[in-house]
Amino acid sequence: MNEFKVEIVTPSKIAFQGNVKSITIPGTKGNFQVLYNHAPLMSSFEVGFIKIVDASENSTSYATSGGTVEVLNNKVIVLAETFESKDDIDIKRAEEALQRAKQRIKKESDEDEVDFDRAEFALRRAINRIKLKK
């Protein structure tokens, strides 16, 4: 299988650069995989896992909070809100974030104090990090 270039950029750094055999991204309508000679594409993606299969057939998954992706001429550019490896995740912090988000969602009836969409997004991110870590 042929390789292609992938660059993953977060607001704070270039998180990944290299040649890969495939990348799987959590699209808004479901996961999609990019292989060599993929058709041009621009898409947004959601909270989930980005899975990269490198040139040696090693597969690694990363937690992400969403973003956008462009596929063009065997180069994939991912602009990700977050991109975390299993080793980057502090499980205690993720579990605390999960509990805080659950508490905020319980206060749903008090809409002036709680941004439900933001609390739900925090909940999804925390669950995603915990799933990857475990």
mmCIF file of all heavy atoms in Angstrom, residues 88-126:
data_model
loop_
_atom_site.group_PDB
_atom_site.id
_atom_site.type_symbol
_atom_site.label_atom_id
_atom_site.label_comp_id
_atom_site.label_asym_id
_atom_site.label_seq_id
_atom_site.Cartn_x
_atom_site.Cartn_y
_atom_site.Cartn_z
ATOM 1 N N ASP A 88 -0.596 11.155 26.713
ATOM 2 C CA ASP A 88 -0.811 12.567 27.052
ATOM 3 C C ASP A 88 -1.977 12.773 28.012
ATOM 4 O O ASP A 88 -2.100 13.829 28.612
ATOM 5 C CB ASP A 88 -1.107 13.385 25.794
ATOM 6 C CG ASP A 88 0.082 13.499 24.859
ATOM 7 O OD1 ASP A 88 1.227 13.321 25.328
ATOM 8 O OD2 ASP A 88 -0.138 13.754 23.665
ATOM 9 N N ILE A 89 -2.841 11.776 28.127
ATOM 10 C CA ILE A 89 -4.081 11.941 28.880
ATOM 11 C C ILE A 89 -3.865 11.652 30.362
ATOM 12 O O ILE A 89 -3.362 10.598 30.732
ATOM 13 C CB ILE A 89 -5.189 11.040 28.305
ATOM 14 C CG1 ILE A 89 -5.508 11.504 26.887
ATOM 15 C CG2 ILE A 89 -6.429 11.060 29.195
ATOM 16 C CD1 ILE A 89 -6.400 10.572 26.121
ATOM 17 N N ASP A 90 -4.257 12.606 31.186
ATOM 18 C CA ASP A 90 -4.238 12.460 32.642
ATOM 19 C C ASP A 90 -5.617 11.930 33.039
ATOM 20 O O ASP A 90 -6.611 12.662 33.002
ATOM 21 C CB ASP A 90 -3.967 13.819 33.291
ATOM 22 C CG ASP A 90 -3.971 13.789 34.805
ATOM 23 O OD1 ASP A 90 -4.503 12.821 35.401
ATOM 24 O OD2 ASP A 90 -3.452 14.749 35.398
ATOM 25 N N ILE A 91 -5.686 10.636 33.371
ATOM 26 C CA ILE A 91 -6.974 9.987 33.628
ATOM 27 C C ILE A 91 -7.715 10.633 34.798
ATOM 28 O O ILE A 91 -8.938 10.796 34.745
ATOM 29 C CB ILE A 91 -6.814 8.453 33.824
ATOM 30 C CG1 ILE A 91 -8.182 7.747 33.807
ATOM 31 C CG2 ILE A 91 -6.075 8.135 35.088
ATOM 32 C CD1 ILE A 91 -8.862 7.723 32.493
ATOM 33 N N LYS A 92 -6.991 11.048 35.825
ATOM 34 C CA LYS A 92 -7.639 11.684 36.973
ATOM 35 C C LYS A 92 -8.302 12.991 36.547
ATOM 36 O O LYS A 92 -9.444 13.273 36.906
ATOM 37 C CB LYS A 92 -6.621 11.931 38.091
ATOM 38 C CG LYS A 92 -7.231 12.532 39.324
ATOM 39 C CD LYS A 92 -6.213 12.740 40.420
ATOM 40 C CE LYS A 92 -6.896 13.395 41.620
ATOM 41 N NZ LYS A 92 -5.956 13.942 42.556
ATOM 42 N N ARG A 93 -7.602 13.764 35.774
ATOM 43 C CA ARG A 93 -8.142 15.034 35.281
ATOM 44 C C ARG A 93 -9.357 14.800 34.385
ATOM 45 O O ARG A 93 -10.358 15.520 34.471
ATOM 46 C CB ARG A 93 -7.049 15.788 34.529
ATOM 47 C CG ARG A 93 -7.445 17.158 34.100
ATOM 48 C CD ARG A 93 -6.232 17.926 33.575
ATOM 49 N NE ARG A 93 -6.712 19.092 32.883
ATOM 50 C CZ ARG A 93 -6.415 19.407 31.637
ATOM 51 N NH1 ARG A 93 -5.592 18.654 30.946
ATOM 52 N NH2 ARG A 93 -6.900 20.484 31.085
ATOM 53 N N ALA A 94 -9.291 13.795 33.527
ATOM 54 C CA ALA A 94 -10.413 13.475 32.639
ATOM 55 C C ALA A 94 -11.638 13.040 33.433
ATOM 56 O O ALA A 94 -12.768 13.433 33.120
ATOM 57 C CB ALA A 94 -10.007 12.390 31.643
ATOM 58 N N GLU A 95 -11.422 12.226 34.462
ATOM 59 C CA GLU A 95 -12.550 11.784 35.290
ATOM 60 C C GLU A 95 -13.160 12.947 36.075
ATOM 61 O O GLU A 95 -14.378 13.016 36.245
ATOM 62 C CB GLU A 95 -12.109 10.647 36.213
ATOM 63 C CG GLU A 95 -11.883 9.350 35.444
ATOM 64 C CD GLU A 95 -11.241 8.236 36.252
ATOM 65 O OE1 GLU A 95 -10.683 8.520 37.336
ATOM 66 O OE2 GLU A 95 -11.293 7.079 35.786
ATOM 67 N N GLU A 96 -12.325 13.877 36.527
ATOM 68 C CA GLU A 96 -12.839 15.064 37.224
ATOM 69 C C GLU A 96 -13.654 15.932 36.258
ATOM 70 O O GLU A 96 -14.703 16.458 36.624
ATOM 71 C CB GLU A 96 -11.690 15.865 37.827
ATOM 72 C CG GLU A 96 -11.045 15.189 39.021
ATOM 73 C CD GLU A 96 -9.750 15.858 39.466
ATOM 74 O OE1 GLU A 96 -9.257 16.787 38.780
ATOM 75 O OE2 GLU A 96 -9.208 15.426 40.506
ATOM 76 N N ALA A 97 -13.180 16.065 35.029
ATOM 77 C CA ALA A 97 -13.905 16.835 34.018
ATOM 78 C C ALA A 97 -15.249 16.179 33.706
ATOM 79 O O ALA A 97 -16.260 16.865 33.513
ATOM 80 C CB ALA A 97 -13.072 16.956 32.750
ATOM 81 N N LEU A 98 -15.270 14.860 33.693
ATOM 82 C CA LEU A 98 -16.509 14.117 33.466
ATOM 83 C C LEU A 98 -17.521 14.429 34.570
ATOM 84 O O LEU A 98 -18.688 14.723 34.289
ATOM 85 C CB LEU A 98 -16.216 12.616 33.405
ATOM 86 C CG LEU A 98 -17.421 11.693 33.266
ATOM 87 C CD1 LEU A 98 -18.087 11.859 31.923
ATOM 88 C CD2 LEU A 98 -16.987 10.243 33.462
ATOM 89 N N GLN A 99 -17.078 14.396 35.815
ATOM 90 C CA GLN A 99 -17.975 14.672 36.935
ATOM 91 C C GLN A 99 -18.484 16.114 36.906
ATOM 92 O O GLN A 99 -19.671 16.366 37.157
ATOM 93 C CB GLN A 99 -17.278 14.370 38.276
ATOM 94 C CG GLN A 99 -16.969 12.900 38.490
ATOM 95 C CD GLN A 99 -18.168 12.001 38.244
ATOM 96 O OE1 GLN A 99 -19.263 12.262 38.715
ATOM 97 N NE2 GLN A 99 -17.962 10.934 37.476
ATOM 98 N N ARG A 100 -17.604 17.073 36.592
ATOM 99 C CA ARG A 100 -18.028 18.477 36.502
ATOM 100 C C ARG A 100 -19.082 18.657 35.411
ATOM 101 O O ARG A 100 -20.085 19.343 35.607
ATOM 102 C CB ARG A 100 -16.828 19.387 36.211
ATOM 103 C CG ARG A 100 -15.987 19.721 37.402
ATOM 104 C CD ARG A 100 -15.029 20.866 37.108
ATOM 105 N NE ARG A 100 -14.223 20.679 35.903
ATOM 106 C CZ ARG A 100 -13.075 19.997 35.853
ATOM 107 N NH1 ARG A 100 -12.587 19.439 36.950
ATOM 108 N NH2 ARG A 100 -12.412 19.889 34.730
ATOM 109 N N ALA A 101 -18.865 18.028 34.265
ATOM 110 C CA ALA A 101 -19.816 18.145 33.153
ATOM 111 C C ALA A 101 -21.165 17.537 33.523
ATOM 112 O O ALA A 101 -22.218 18.115 33.233
ATOM 113 C CB ALA A 101 -19.246 17.471 31.905
ATOM 114 N N LYS A 102 -21.143 16.393 34.188
ATOM 115 C CA LYS A 102 -22.400 15.765 34.622
ATOM 116 C C LYS A 102 -23.158 16.676 35.580
ATOM 117 O O LYS A 102 -24.382 16.800 35.495
ATOM 118 C CB LYS A 102 -22.123 14.415 35.290
ATOM 119 C CG LYS A 102 -21.793 13.312 34.315
ATOM 120 C CD LYS A 102 -21.548 12.008 35.063
ATOM 121 C CE LYS A 102 -21.271 10.859 34.116
ATOM 122 N NZ LYS A 102 -21.038 9.595 34.847
ATOM 123 N N GLN A 103 -22.433 17.319 36.499
ATOM 124 C CA GLN A 103 -23.070 18.222 37.459
ATOM 125 C C GLN A 103 -23.688 19.428 36.756
ATOM 126 O O GLN A 103 -24.779 19.861 37.091
ATOM 127 C CB GLN A 103 -22.069 18.670 38.520
ATOM 128 C CG GLN A 103 -21.703 17.576 39.488
ATOM 129 C CD GLN A 103 -20.561 17.967 40.416
ATOM 130 O OE1 GLN A 103 -19.952 19.011 40.266
ATOM 131 N NE2 GLN A 103 -20.264 17.097 41.374
ATOM 132 N N ARG A 104 -22.980 19.957 35.763
ATOM 133 C CA ARG A 104 -23.511 21.109 35.022
ATOM 134 C C ARG A 104 -24.775 20.732 34.262
ATOM 135 O O ARG A 104 -25.729 21.509 34.198
ATOM 136 C CB ARG A 104 -22.457 21.640 34.053
ATOM 137 C CG ARG A 104 -21.353 22.381 34.734
ATOM 138 C CD ARG A 104 -20.410 23.004 33.722
ATOM 139 N NE ARG A 104 -19.258 23.531 34.399
ATOM 140 C CZ ARG A 104 -18.011 23.250 34.077
ATOM 141 N NH1 ARG A 104 -17.747 22.448 33.075
ATOM 142 N NH2 ARG A 104 -17.018 23.778 34.747
ATOM 143 N N ILE A 105 -24.776 19.542 33.678
ATOM 144 C CA ILE A 105 -25.949 19.098 32.922
ATOM 145 C C ILE A 105 -27.146 18.903 33.850
ATOM 146 O O ILE A 105 -28.280 19.204 33.477
ATOM 147 C CB ILE A 105 -25.620 17.830 32.115
ATOM 148 C CG1 ILE A 105 -24.675 18.196 30.968
ATOM 149 C CG2 ILE A 105 -26.881 17.151 31.598
ATOM 150 C CD1 ILE A 105 -24.087 17.026 30.223
ATOM 151 N N LYS A 106 -26.918 18.450 35.066
ATOM 152 C CA LYS A 106 -28.009 18.282 36.038
ATOM 153 C C LYS A 106 -28.666 19.616 36.360
ATOM 154 O O LYS A 106 -29.839 19.664 36.707
ATOM 155 C CB LYS A 106 -27.501 17.638 37.328
ATOM 156 C CG LYS A 106 -27.294 16.148 37.207
ATOM 157 C CD LYS A 106 -26.846 15.576 38.535
ATOM 158 C CE LYS A 106 -26.536 14.091 38.394
ATOM 159 N NZ LYS A 106 -26.027 13.521 39.646
ATOM 160 N N LYS A 107 -27.925 20.709 36.259
ATOM 161 C CA LYS A 107 -28.459 22.042 36.542
ATOM 162 C C LYS A 107 -29.201 22.618 35.341
ATOM 163 O O LYS A 107 -29.464 23.805 35.294
ATOM 164 C CB LYS A 107 -27.326 22.999 36.924
ATOM 165 C CG LYS A 107 -26.658 22.681 38.231
ATOM 166 C CD LYS A 107 -25.603 23.725 38.497
ATOM 167 C CE LYS A 107 -24.876 23.449 39.794
ATOM 168 N NZ LYS A 107 -23.851 24.447 40.060
ATOM 169 N N GLU A 108 -29.546 21.778 34.394
ATOM 170 C CA GLU A 108 -30.158 22.204 33.134
ATOM 171 C C GLU A 108 -31.359 23.123 33.329
ATOM 172 O O GLU A 108 -31.598 24.037 32.551
ATOM 173 C CB GLU A 108 -30.568 20.967 32.340
ATOM 174 C CG GLU A 108 -31.242 21.254 31.034
ATOM 175 C CD GLU A 108 -31.678 19.983 30.338
ATOM 176 O OE1 GLU A 108 -31.411 18.878 30.830
ATOM 177 O OE2 GLU A 108 -32.314 20.127 29.290
ATOM 178 N N SER A 109 -32.147 22.900 34.374
ATOM 179 C CA SER A 109 -33.341 23.705 34.596
ATOM 180 C C SER A 109 -33.001 25.158 34.920
ATOM 181 O O SER A 109 -33.803 26.055 34.726
ATOM 182 C CB SER A 109 -34.181 23.107 35.722
ATOM 183 O OG SER A 109 -33.430 23.063 36.916
ATOM 184 N N ASP A 110 -31.794 25.412 35.384
ATOM 185 C CA ASP A 110 -31.342 26.749 35.730
ATOM 186 C C ASP A 110 -30.553 27.316 34.541
ATOM 187 O O ASP A 110 -29.360 27.567 34.624
ATOM 188 C CB ASP A 110 -30.457 26.669 36.982
ATOM 189 C CG ASP A 110 -30.502 27.934 37.800
ATOM 190 O OD1 ASP A 110 -31.242 28.859 37.416
ATOM 191 O OD2 ASP A 110 -29.806 27.971 38.824
ATOM 192 N N GLU A 111 -31.241 27.538 33.427
ATOM 193 C CA GLU A 111 -30.588 27.841 32.147
ATOM 194 C C GLU A 111 -29.730 29.098 32.160
ATOM 195 O O GLU A 111 -28.829 29.232 31.344
ATOM 196 C CB GLU A 111 -31.629 27.926 31.041
ATOM 197 C CG GLU A 111 -32.228 26.577 30.716
ATOM 198 C CD GLU A 111 -33.217 26.637 29.565
ATOM 199 O OE1 GLU A 111 -33.054 27.515 28.704
ATOM 200 O OE2 GLU A 111 -34.119 25.806 29.549
ATOM 201 N N ASP A 112 -29.986 30.031 33.061
ATOM 202 C CA ASP A 112 -29.186 31.248 33.098
ATOM 203 C C ASP A 112 -27.741 30.974 33.506
ATOM 204 O O ASP A 112 -26.837 31.676 33.099
ATOM 205 C CB ASP A 112 -29.789 32.265 34.073
ATOM 206 C CG ASP A 112 -31.122 32.797 33.575
ATOM 207 O OD1 ASP A 112 -31.358 32.741 32.351
ATOM 208 O OD2 ASP A 112 -31.917 33.256 34.406
ATOM 209 N N GLU A 113 -27.534 29.945 34.307
ATOM 210 C CA GLU A 113 -26.202 29.662 34.819
ATOM 211 C C GLU A 113 -25.458 28.597 34.023
ATOM 212 O O GLU A 113 -24.250 28.490 34.114
ATOM 213 C CB GLU A 113 -26.292 29.204 36.277
ATOM 214 C CG GLU A 113 -26.751 30.283 37.214
ATOM 215 C CD GLU A 113 -26.792 29.790 38.634
ATOM 216 O OE1 GLU A 113 -26.017 28.885 38.983
ATOM 217 O OE2 GLU A 113 -27.616 30.307 39.396
ATOM 218 N N VAL A 114 -26.178 27.783 33.242
ATOM 219 C CA VAL A 114 -25.545 26.655 32.578
ATOM 220 C C VAL A 114 -25.699 26.768 31.070
ATOM 221 O O VAL A 114 -26.799 26.958 30.555
ATOM 222 C CB VAL A 114 -26.170 25.318 33.061
ATOM 223 C CG1 VAL A 114 -25.583 24.144 32.299
ATOM 224 C CG2 VAL A 114 -25.959 25.145 34.554
ATOM 225 N N ASP A 115 -24.598 26.672 30.372
ATOM 226 C CA ASP A 115 -24.619 26.567 28.921
ATOM 227 C C ASP A 115 -24.655 25.072 28.615
ATOM 228 O O ASP A 115 -23.633 24.397 28.672
ATOM 229 C CB ASP A 115 -23.372 27.235 28.342
ATOM 230 C CG ASP A 115 -23.326 27.177 26.825
ATOM 231 O OD1 ASP A 115 -24.063 26.380 26.210
ATOM 232 O OD2 ASP A 115 -22.536 27.936 26.252
ATOM 233 N N PHE A 116 -25.855 24.568 28.339
ATOM 234 C CA PHE A 116 -26.048 23.124 28.165
ATOM 235 C C PHE A 116 -25.169 22.560 27.053
ATOM 236 O O PHE A 116 -24.552 21.516 27.224
ATOM 237 C CB PHE A 116 -27.525 22.816 27.891
ATOM 238 C CG PHE A 116 -27.803 21.349 27.756
ATOM 239 C CD1 PHE A 116 -27.848 20.533 28.882
ATOM 240 C CD2 PHE A 116 -27.997 20.775 26.513
ATOM 241 C CE1 PHE A 116 -28.084 19.172 28.762
ATOM 242 C CE2 PHE A 116 -28.239 19.419 26.384
ATOM 243 C CZ PHE A 116 -28.291 18.612 27.517
ATOM 244 N N ASP A 117 -25.096 23.239 25.920
ATOM 245 C CA ASP A 117 -24.291 22.739 24.796
ATOM 246 C C ASP A 117 -22.818 22.629 25.176
ATOM 247 O O ASP A 117 -22.144 21.657 24.834
ATOM 248 C CB ASP A 117 -24.447 23.639 23.574
ATOM 249 C CG ASP A 117 -25.833 23.561 22.961
ATOM 250 O OD1 ASP A 117 -26.524 22.535 23.164
ATOM 251 O OD2 ASP A 117 -26.222 24.518 22.268
ATOM 252 N N ARG A 118 -22.330 23.615 25.894
ATOM 253 C CA ARG A 118 -20.925 23.595 26.325
ATOM 254 C C ARG A 118 -20.676 22.455 27.319
ATOM 255 O O ARG A 118 -19.661 21.764 27.248
ATOM 256 C CB ARG A 118 -20.577 24.938 26.941
ATOM 257 C CG ARG A 118 -19.127 25.079 27.255
ATOM 258 C CD ARG A 118 -18.820 26.497 27.678
ATOM 259 N NE ARG A 118 -17.494 26.533 28.252
ATOM 260 C CZ ARG A 118 -17.099 27.396 29.146
ATOM 261 N NH1 ARG A 118 -17.922 28.333 29.565
ATOM 262 N NH2 ARG A 118 -15.889 27.358 29.627
ATOM 263 N N ALA A 119 -21.612 22.259 28.244
ATOM 264 C CA ALA A 119 -21.476 21.176 29.229
ATOM 265 C C ALA A 119 -21.532 19.817 28.538
ATOM 266 O O ALA A 119 -20.766 18.909 28.872
ATOM 267 C CB ALA A 119 -22.572 21.284 30.281
ATOM 268 N N GLU A 120 -22.417 19.677 27.563
ATOM 269 C CA GLU A 120 -22.524 18.408 26.834
ATOM 270 C C GLU A 120 -21.240 18.127 26.041
ATOM 271 O O GLU A 120 -20.753 16.996 26.006
ATOM 272 C CB GLU A 120 -23.724 18.447 25.895
ATOM 273 C CG GLU A 120 -23.961 17.128 25.183
ATOM 274 C CD GLU A 120 -25.157 17.175 24.266
ATOM 275 O OE1 GLU A 120 -25.344 18.189 23.561
ATOM 276 O OE2 GLU A 120 -25.907 16.190 24.249
ATOM 277 N N PHE A 121 -20.665 19.170 25.438
ATOM 278 C CA PHE A 121 -19.413 19.020 24.699
ATOM 279 C C PHE A 121 -18.279 18.607 25.641
ATOM 280 O O PHE A 121 -17.478 17.723 25.328
ATOM 281 C CB PHE A 121 -19.071 20.322 23.965
ATOM 282 C CG PHE A 121 -17.888 20.228 23.057
ATOM 283 C CD1 PHE A 121 -17.901 19.395 21.954
ATOM 284 C CD2 PHE A 121 -16.756 20.983 23.299
ATOM 285 C CE1 PHE A 121 -16.808 19.308 21.105
ATOM 286 C CE2 PHE A 121 -15.655 20.912 22.462
ATOM 287 C CZ PHE A 121 -15.677 20.070 21.356
ATOM 288 N N ALA A 122 -18.220 19.214 26.811
ATOM 289 C CA ALA A 122 -17.205 18.850 27.812
ATOM 290 C C ALA A 122 -17.375 17.400 28.243
ATOM 291 O O ALA A 122 -16.392 16.671 28.428
ATOM 292 C CB ALA A 122 -17.287 19.781 29.017
ATOM 293 N N LEU A 123 -18.619 16.975 28.392
ATOM 294 C CA LEU A 123 -18.910 15.587 28.758
ATOM 295 C C LEU A 123 -18.404 14.631 27.677
ATOM 296 O O LEU A 123 -17.730 13.636 27.971
ATOM 297 C CB LEU A 123 -20.411 15.401 28.972
ATOM 298 C CG LEU A 123 -20.873 13.996 29.329
ATOM 299 C CD1 LEU A 123 -20.468 13.658 30.762
ATOM 300 C CD2 LEU A 123 -22.382 13.878 29.174
ATOM 301 N N ARG A 124 -18.689 14.937 26.416
ATOM 302 C CA ARG A 124 -18.244 14.078 25.308
ATOM 303 C C ARG A 124 -16.717 14.006 25.226
ATOM 304 O O ARG A 124 -16.146 12.945 24.995
ATOM 305 C CB ARG A 124 -18.830 14.583 23.990
ATOM 306 C CG ARG A 124 -20.332 14.358 23.908
ATOM 307 C CD ARG A 124 -20.999 14.941 22.680
ATOM 308 N NE ARG A 124 -20.310 14.631 21.453
ATOM 309 C CZ ARG A 124 -20.191 15.493 20.442
ATOM 310 N NH1 ARG A 124 -20.698 16.688 20.508
ATOM 311 N NH2 ARG A 124 -19.548 15.137 19.350
ATOM 312 N N ARG A 125 -16.048 15.142 25.431
ATOM 313 C CA ARG A 125 -14.573 15.153 25.407
ATOM 314 C C ARG A 125 -14.006 14.305 26.527
ATOM 315 O O ARG A 125 -13.050 13.541 26.318
ATOM 316 C CB ARG A 125 -14.051 16.590 25.539
ATOM 317 C CG ARG A 125 -14.142 17.398 24.289
ATOM 318 C CD ARG A 125 -13.332 18.688 24.399
ATOM 319 N NE ARG A 125 -13.357 19.272 25.720
ATOM 320 C CZ ARG A 125 -13.919 20.425 26.041
ATOM 321 N NH1 ARG A 125 -14.522 21.150 25.131
ATOM 322 N NH2 ARG A 125 -13.868 20.883 27.277
ATOM 323 N N ALA A 126 -14.561 14.440 27.725
ATOM 324 C CA ALA A 126 -14.060 13.669 28.874
ATOM 325 C C ALA A 126 -14.263 12.175 28.647
ATOM 326 O O ALA A 126 -13.347 11.378 28.889
ATOM 327 C CB ALA A 126 -14.765 14.121 30.150
#
